[in-house]
Amino acid sequence: MNQSEISSNLKSVYDQQYAQADTRWRDIGARQKAENIIKLCKKYNFDKLLDVGAGDGAVLKELDKHHFVKELSAVEISNSGIEKINSRQLASLKEVKLFDGYSIPYADKTFPLATCSHVIEHVEHPRILLREIARVSTYQFFEIPIDFSLFVDQKIEHFLSYGHINIYTPALFKFLLKSEGFEILDESFMFLSDEVVDFMMKDWKQRLIYKTKVFFLKNSSLRRVKPNAYAVLCRHQGHDIKIF
């Protein structure tokens, strides 16, 4: 297998990922993800964007609803995801294309902004995808979940069940980006919204414990180490990885 190709077993899983997916859960999570994109990117007044790994289009739906840009485009490896995106009939969506997970079918610097939200943790060869995203865009927005803990190796089955094959802290993700030539322009350390917490945690005691923990995290330096998610706006500086 060529290193720039997605493994066949992963391709088959993701191809039908959204055929019978829980769209309510994805729609709830997408609201916060779209808000994070708008928060970090709104001052730049982008007129169009490419969403890389658009899934079932839940984030695209929110960006369309907020009239964030005039023109949305997307690439996705899953046929079932593309079907879901097209079924949404989004007014600002120009097109969605199937891609192989690495080679993005657009010319250099086609888009002023590329977004890639909760995708990199699923990617076998993240540096290859990062380079393609940098190639087709001027600015880049990334968001990843922060799954790291001191005992993350003891929860491997849990994370693999979500398809998370890469684990990051905010600092480790920034190291990856900077080593690939990305300049960090802005960043955000996020915790779950009340809507997401209420959906995920039905027991009030569980919600209280979580919200208490978040209160202390938000008011300490640990908020930059162990948030629920980390988002960053970048601009690639135009050079390849440099070592020695």
Side-chain angles (χ1 to χ4, degrees):
M1 185 188 72
N2 187 299
Q3 192 183 36
S4 63
E5 295 176 352
I6 189 171
S7 294
S8 59
N9 61 326
L10 293 184
K11 171 61 177 165
S12 63
V13 169
Y14 284 121
D15 203 35
Q16 295 303 313
Q17 177 77 10
Y18 307 100
Q20 297 179 338
D22 186 348
T23 56
R24 185 182 172 213
W25 160 242
R26 295 184 185 280
D27 285 346
I28 289 173
R31 283 192 271 276
Q32 186 173 17
K33 294 172 185 175
E35 287 173 3
N36 296 336
I37 293 171
I38 294 169
K39 175 184 175 182
L40 288 189
C41 303
K42 63 181 179 181
K43 69 180 181 181
Y44 291 88
N45 296 315
F46 297 115
D47 60 346
K48 62 180 181 178
L49 69 81
L50 174 70
D51 192 24
V52 179
D56 68 349
V59 173
L60 290 171
K61 174 187 173 184
E62 293 299 316
L63 294 175
D64 179 73
K65 184 173 71 175
H66 286 88
H67 308 289
F68 177 57
V69 294
K70 293 179 181 178
E71 184 181 292
L72 295 167
S73 297
V75 291
E76 169 57 37
I77 66 169
S78 167
N79 281 302
S80 60
I82 290 176
E83 290 174 5
K84 289 283 187 181
I85 293 170
N86 286 327
S87 71
R88 292 181 184 274
Q89 298 182 321
L90 305 179
S92 58
L93 180 65
K94 178 184 178 181
E95 61 185 354
V96 53
K97 293 184 177 182
L98 185 70
F99 86 130
D100 63 6
Y102 295 105
S103 298
I104 299 175
Y106 288 100
D108 295 359
K109 305 304 176 189
T110 299
F111 300 94
L113 174 66
T115 59
C116 185
S117 182
H118 291 250
V119 172
I120 299 297
E121 67 273 14
H122 298 271
V123 176
E124 291 173 275
H125 310 293
R127 289 182 183 271
I128 296 175
L129 180 58
L130 289 175
R131 291 166 192 171
E132 268 292 272
I133 291 172
R135 181 185 65 78
V136 301
S137 62
T138 304
Y139 290 81
Q140 303 82 30
F141 170 94
F142 299 100
E143 182 174 321
I144 56 165
I146 302 302
D147 296 326
F148 175 79
S149 74
L150 293 176
F151 307 103
V152 69
D153 61 307
Q154 298 177 18
K155 301 175 67 178
I156 186 168
E157 290 186 7
H158 168 77
F159 289 119
L160 290 182
S161 71
Y162 289 104
H164 292 191
I165 59 176
N166 300 305
I167 302 293
Y168 298 102
T169 66
L172 286 173
F173 190 62
K174 282 192 285 186
F175 181 93
L176 172 63
L177 292 174
K178 289 181 177 181
S179 71
E180 280 294 324
F182 290 89
E183 175 190 4
I184 307 299
L185 301 175
D186 204 353
E187 62 184 355
S188 184
F189 304 84
M190 287 88 58
F191 295 88
L192 300 179
S193 68
D194 288 342
E195 183 182 23
V196 172
V197 171
D198 291 343
F199 184 85
M200 290 178 58
M201 305 174 191
K202 304 303 182 185
D203 181 78
W204 69 269
K205 292 180 181 178
Q206 187 182 18
R207 293 197 299 271
L208 179 61
I209 292 170
Y210 172 79
K211 291 180 179 181
T212 301
K213 180 179 74 172
V214 166
F215 174 81
F216 287 106
L217 284 172
K218 282 183 174 180
N219 291 281
S220 76
S221 59
L222 288 176
R223 65 180 292 273
R224 300 176 66 89
V225 178
K226 187 56 179 169
N228 288 115
Y230 171 70
V232 60
L233 178 65
C234 310
R235 180 171 53 202
H236 197 267
Q237 297 176 305
H239 60 72
D240 295 331
I241 187 169
K242 295 180 179 179
I243 59 175
F244 307 122

